Protein backbone atom coordinates (compact mmCIF):
# COMPACT_ATOMS: atom_id res chain seq x y z
CA UNK A 1 0.00 0.00 0.00
CA UNK A 2 1.03 3.60 -0.43
CA UNK A 3 2.88 5.59 2.18
CA UNK A 4 0.06 8.12 2.43
CA UNK A 5 -2.39 5.36 3.39
CA UNK A 6 0.01 3.97 5.97
CA UNK A 7 0.39 7.42 7.55
CA UNK A 8 -3.36 8.09 7.57
CA UNK A 9 -4.80 4.72 8.58
CA UNK A 10 -3.33 4.21 12.05
CA UNK A 11 -4.59 7.51 13.55
CA UNK A 12 -7.94 7.07 11.79
CA UNK A 13 -8.19 3.51 13.14
CA UNK A 14 -7.47 4.72 16.67
CA UNK A 15 -10.26 7.33 16.39
CA UNK A 16 -12.71 4.69 15.12
CA UNK A 17 -11.71 2.28 17.90
CA UNK A 18 -12.20 5.01 20.54
CA UNK A 19 -15.63 5.81 19.09
CA UNK A 20 -16.47 2.10 19.26
CA UNK A 21 -15.49 1.95 22.93
CA UNK A 22 -17.57 5.08 23.59
CA UNK A 23 -20.54 3.49 21.82
CA UNK A 24 -20.26 0.36 23.97
CA UNK A 25 -19.90 2.26 27.23
CA UNK A 26 -22.85 4.54 26.50
CA UNK A 27 -25.00 1.91 24.81
CA UNK A 28 -27.49 1.63 27.65
CA UNK A 29 -28.54 5.30 27.37
CA UNK A 30 -27.86 6.13 23.70
CA UNK A 31 -28.60 4.44 20.39
CA UNK A 32 -26.03 1.75 19.86
CA UNK A 33 -24.44 -0.69 22.21
CA UNK A 34 -22.44 -3.87 22.06
CA UNK A 35 -23.00 -4.86 18.46
CA UNK A 36 -22.50 -1.41 16.98
CA UNK A 37 -19.47 -0.63 19.14
CA UNK A 38 -17.91 -4.01 18.43
CA UNK A 39 -18.39 -3.45 14.69
CA UNK A 40 -16.69 -0.05 14.97
CA UNK A 41 -13.71 -1.50 16.84
CA UNK A 42 -13.48 -4.27 14.25
CA UNK A 43 -13.52 -1.64 11.48
CA UNK A 44 -10.50 0.07 13.05
CA UNK A 45 -8.62 -3.20 13.30
CA UNK A 46 -9.61 -4.17 9.75
CA UNK A 47 -8.33 -0.82 8.42
CA UNK A 48 -4.89 -1.61 9.77
CA UNK A 49 -4.94 -5.24 8.66
CA UNK A 50 -5.80 -4.36 5.07
CA UNK A 51 -3.36 -1.47 4.70
CA UNK A 52 -0.38 -2.85 6.62
CA UNK A 53 -0.93 -6.59 6.10
CA UNK A 54 -0.70 -9.31 8.73
CA UNK A 55 3.02 -9.10 9.37
CA UNK A 56 3.42 -5.31 9.58
CA UNK A 57 0.14 -4.43 11.31
CA UNK A 58 0.51 -2.25 14.42
CA UNK A 59 -1.99 -4.56 16.12
CA UNK A 60 -0.34 -7.95 16.49
CA UNK A 61 -3.40 -10.18 16.44
CA UNK A 62 -3.15 -13.93 16.77
CA UNK A 63 -5.42 -16.92 16.93
CA UNK A 64 -4.81 -17.18 20.69
CA UNK A 65 -5.87 -13.54 21.16
CA UNK A 66 -9.07 -14.10 19.16
CA UNK A 67 -9.85 -17.30 21.05
CA UNK A 68 -9.30 -15.65 24.44
CA UNK A 69 -11.43 -12.57 23.72
CA UNK A 70 -14.23 -14.62 22.14
CA UNK A 71 -14.22 -17.02 25.10
CA UNK A 72 -14.34 -14.16 27.61
CA UNK A 73 -17.26 -12.61 25.73
CA UNK A 74 -19.20 -15.86 25.48
CA UNK A 75 -18.57 -16.87 29.08
CA UNK A 76 -19.45 -13.39 30.31
CA UNK A 77 -22.78 -13.52 28.48
CA UNK A 78 -23.53 -16.99 29.83
CA UNK A 79 -22.52 -16.09 33.40
CA UNK A 80 -24.64 -12.92 33.38
CA UNK A 81 -27.57 -14.99 32.16
CA UNK A 82 -26.98 -17.69 34.75
CA UNK A 83 -26.70 -15.08 37.51
CA UNK A 84 -30.16 -13.86 36.55
CA UNK A 85 -31.41 -17.44 36.49
CA UNK A 86 -29.87 -18.24 39.85
CA UNK A 87 -31.11 -15.18 41.75
CA UNK A 88 -34.44 -14.52 40.04
CA UNK A 89 -35.46 -17.63 38.13
CA UNK A 90 -35.21 -15.88 34.74
CA UNK A 91 -32.30 -16.10 32.30
CA UNK A 92 -30.69 -12.67 31.69
CA UNK A 93 -32.90 -11.03 34.34
CA UNK A 94 -31.75 -7.45 34.94
CA UNK A 95 -30.37 -7.92 38.45
CA UNK A 96 -29.37 -4.30 39.03
CA UNK A 97 -32.84 -2.89 38.34
CA UNK A 98 -35.02 -5.71 39.77
CA UNK A 99 -38.45 -4.49 38.73
CA UNK A 100 -40.26 -7.36 40.47
CA UNK A 101 -38.31 -7.20 43.77
CA UNK A 102 -37.19 -10.84 43.71
CA UNK A 103 -33.41 -10.37 43.94
CA UNK A 104 -31.59 -10.16 47.30
CA UNK A 105 -30.30 -6.65 48.11
CA UNK A 106 -26.65 -7.74 48.20
CA UNK A 107 -26.84 -9.10 44.65
CA UNK A 108 -28.79 -6.07 43.44
CA UNK A 109 -26.07 -3.68 44.72
CA UNK A 110 -23.41 -5.81 42.99
CA UNK A 111 -25.00 -5.21 39.57
CA UNK A 112 -26.21 -1.69 40.30
CA UNK A 113 -24.38 0.27 37.59
CA UNK A 114 -23.40 3.71 38.97
CA UNK A 115 -25.35 5.76 36.46
CA UNK A 116 -28.37 8.04 36.85
CA UNK A 117 -30.40 5.81 34.57
CA UNK A 118 -29.54 2.64 36.56
CA UNK A 119 -29.22 0.19 33.68
CA UNK A 120 -28.41 -2.90 35.76
CA UNK A 121 -26.57 -5.58 33.76
CA UNK A 122 -27.07 -3.93 30.36
CA UNK A 123 -23.64 -2.20 30.29
CA UNK A 124 -21.98 -5.52 31.13
CA UNK A 125 -23.95 -7.26 28.38
CA UNK A 126 -22.97 -4.52 25.93
CA UNK A 127 -19.32 -5.05 26.83
CA UNK A 128 -19.31 -8.83 26.29
CA UNK A 129 -21.38 -8.60 23.10
CA UNK A 130 -18.97 -5.95 21.81
CA UNK A 131 -16.03 -8.27 22.41
CA UNK A 132 -17.69 -11.13 20.54
CA UNK A 133 -18.70 -8.97 17.57
CA UNK A 134 -15.24 -7.40 17.38
CA UNK A 135 -13.59 -10.80 17.25
CA UNK A 136 -16.11 -12.27 14.83
CA UNK A 137 -15.81 -9.52 12.23
CA UNK A 138 -12.04 -9.12 12.54
CA UNK A 139 -11.44 -12.87 12.37
CA UNK A 140 -13.16 -13.08 8.98
CA UNK A 141 -10.81 -10.53 7.42
CA UNK A 142 -7.82 -11.95 9.28
CA UNK A 143 -8.57 -15.42 7.90
CA UNK A 144 -8.95 -14.15 4.32
CA UNK A 145 -5.66 -12.26 4.56
CA UNK A 146 -3.91 -15.31 6.01
CA UNK A 147 -5.18 -17.46 3.14
CA UNK A 148 -3.99 -14.86 0.63
CA UNK A 149 -0.51 -14.75 2.16
CA UNK A 150 -0.37 -18.54 2.35
CA UNK A 151 -1.43 -18.78 -1.29
CA UNK A 152 1.28 -16.33 -2.38
CA UNK A 153 3.94 -18.24 -0.42
CA UNK A 154 2.78 -21.51 -1.96
CA UNK A 155 3.13 -20.07 -5.49
CA UNK A 156 6.76 -19.15 -4.85
CA UNK A 157 7.78 -22.67 -3.77
CA UNK A 158 8.71 -25.11 -6.53
CA UNK A 159 6.52 -28.18 -6.85
CA UNK A 160 8.34 -31.40 -6.07
CA UNK A 161 7.62 -34.42 -8.18
CA UNK A 162 6.61 -37.62 -6.43
CA UNK A 163 8.67 -40.61 -7.52
Amino acid sequence: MSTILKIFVFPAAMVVICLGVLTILGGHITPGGGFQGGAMIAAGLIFCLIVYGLKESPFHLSHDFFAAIESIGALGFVFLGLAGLLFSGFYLYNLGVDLYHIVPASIQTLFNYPDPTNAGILPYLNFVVGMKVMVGLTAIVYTFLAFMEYGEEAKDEPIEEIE
Side-chain angles (χ1 to χ4, degrees):
M1 290 282 172
S2 72
T3 306
I4 294 174
L5 276 176
K6 288 185 178 182
I7 291 171
F8 171 75
V9 163
F10 184 68
M14 294 306 295
V15 169
V16 171
I17 288 171
C18 289
L19 286 173
V21 170
L22 184 64
T23 303
I24 289 173
L25 294 178
H28 62 288
I29 55 175
T30 61
F35 185 87
Q36 292 85 350
M40 292 170 75
I41 295 171
L45 295 174
I46 290 168
F47 282 163
C48 288
L49 284 174
I50 289 175
V51 170
Y52 291 99
L54 291 179
K55 295 178 183 172
E56 296 179 15
S57 176
F59 302 108
H60 301 290
L61 306 172
S62 66
H63 176 72
D64 293 336
F65 170 77
F66 286 140
I69 297 298
E70 180 121 23
S71 298
I72 290 169
L75 288 174
F77 194 86
V78 168
F79 286 145
L80 284 171
L82 290 177
L85 187 65
L86 178 68
F87 294 109
S88 71
F90 301 101
Y91 189 76
L92 283 177
Y93 185 77
N94 199 347
L95 296 173
V97 176
D98 191 26
L99 295 175
Y100 301 110
H101 307 292
I102 55 178
V103 177
S106 61
I107 300 302
Q108 186 176 358
T109 57
L110 179 67
F111 289 104
N112 189 2
Y113 191 72
D115 190 270
T117 59
N118 192 11
I121 66 168
L122 293 181
Y124 305 110
L125 287 173
N126 282 336
F127 182 71
V128 296
V129 167
M131 287 194 307
K132 285 198 59 64
V133 169
M134 182 267 301
V135 168
L137 295 176
T138 307
I140 293 169
V141 174
Y142 184 87
T143 304
F144 284 148
L145 289 174
F147 279 132
M148 283 177 47
E149 284 190 12
Y150 177 73
E152 289 175 7
E153 290 174 5
K155 286 180 188 176
D156 296 338
E157 295 179 8
I159 299 174
E160 297 178 13
E161 293 183 15
I162 300 175
E163 297 178 15

